[in-house]
Amino acid sequence: MKILGIDPGLQICGYACMENRDDKENLIEAGTFKTQSPAPIPKRLNQIANYITSLLKKFEPDTVAVETLYSHYAHPKTAILMGHARGVILQQCEKAAITVKSYSATRIKKSITGNGRASKMQMQRTIQTILNLTELPEPPDVADAIAAALCCSNEMNFVKTF
């Protein structure tokens, strides 16, 4: 089972491809892709679509795990811009007929650390331990994408046990 975790963003998107075999997670690849700033939003959304399409072709995931949007009321414009990026990601997954699972940040954190309010550093250290990585997963966009994929894997393993 391959899971592609995506941390959506208009400027930087994190991605992580995980493979789950015999209830053991293996990180295949993780990284980020960036859109050209200050390009117009339609051009940046097209860049995201192209990146997602290439990732879906490269990894051929069974499922894509994407973090849902969360925004403080003080920053509604940020939520709208992030929503554009997330929408393009979801559309490209649908076009490729790949199942998408969405998870809130607190659900992802609780799945990985047991604490829905875990800090970025706590998440990075826990991921490093779970995957036996020599270094912390960085930048945070990569760690968030890995965490989304791990959360999805945890959920699928839990469902298999029943």
Side-chain angles (χ1 to χ4, degrees), residues 3-6 16-20 23-27 65 103 107-109 111-113 123-124 126-133 137 142-158:
I3 302 168
L4 180 63
I6 304 283
C17 185
M18 309 276 309
E19 189 167 31
N20 185 318
D23 298 332
K24 184 175 178 351
E25 290 89 5
N26 179 40
L27 181 62
Y103 302 98
R107 183 170 178 192
I108 292 170
K109 290 176 180 184
S111 173
I112 306 305
T113 68
M123 289 292 292
Q124 288 171 295
T126 304
I127 290 167
Q128 181 183 23
T129 301
I130 290 170
L131 297 176
N132 199 25
L133 303 175
V142 170
D144 290 348
I146 294 170
L150 284 170
C151 178
C152 184
S153 179
N154 289 345
E155 179 184 87
M156 293 174 145
N157 286 337
F158 179 76

Side-chain angles (χ1 to χ4, degrees), residues 11 38 45 86:
Q11 293 179 359
L45 294 175
R86 189 171 187 277

Side-chain angles (χ1 to χ4, degrees), residues 3 15-16 34 40 54 63-64 76 79 92 94 98 105 116 130 137 141 150:
I3 302 168
Y15 72 90
K34 298 177 183 181
S54 68
T63 303
V64 173
Q92 291 300 306
E94 178 63 25
I98 297 173
I130 290 170
D141 310 280
L150 284 170

Side-chain angles (χ1 to χ4, degrees), residues 10 41 45 48 69 78-89:
L10 189 59
I41 291 175
L45 294 175
I48 292 169
L69 296 180
T78 302
I80 292 167
L81 294 174
M82 295 285 288
H84 291 328
R86 189 171 187 277
V88 168
I89 293 165

Side-chain angles (χ1 to χ4, degrees), residues 3-80:
I3 302 168
L4 180 63
I6 304 283
D7 179 43
L10 189 59
Q11 293 179 359
I12 300 173
C13 288
Y15 72 90
C17 185
M18 309 276 309
E19 189 167 31
N20 185 318
R21 286 192 181 182
D22 303 321
D23 298 332
K24 184 175 178 351
E25 290 89 5
N26 179 40
L27 181 62
I28 297 171
E29 181 179 315
T32 60
F33 57 86
K34 298 177 183 181
T35 61
Q36 295 174 345
S37 182
I41 291 175
K43 183 172 184 168
R44 293 165 79 179
L45 294 175
N46 195 52
Q47 291 170 354
I48 292 169
N50 290 337
Y51 283 123
I52 293 299
T53 298
S54 68
L55 290 174
L56 295 176
K57 286 180 182 174
K58 179 179 181 178
F59 297 118
E60 299 179 345
D62 300 293
T63 303
V64 173
V66 183
E67 187 174 318
T68 58
L69 296 180
Y70 172 79
S71 177
H72 298 285
Y73 293 115
H75 305 289
K77 186 176 179 182
T78 302
I80 292 167

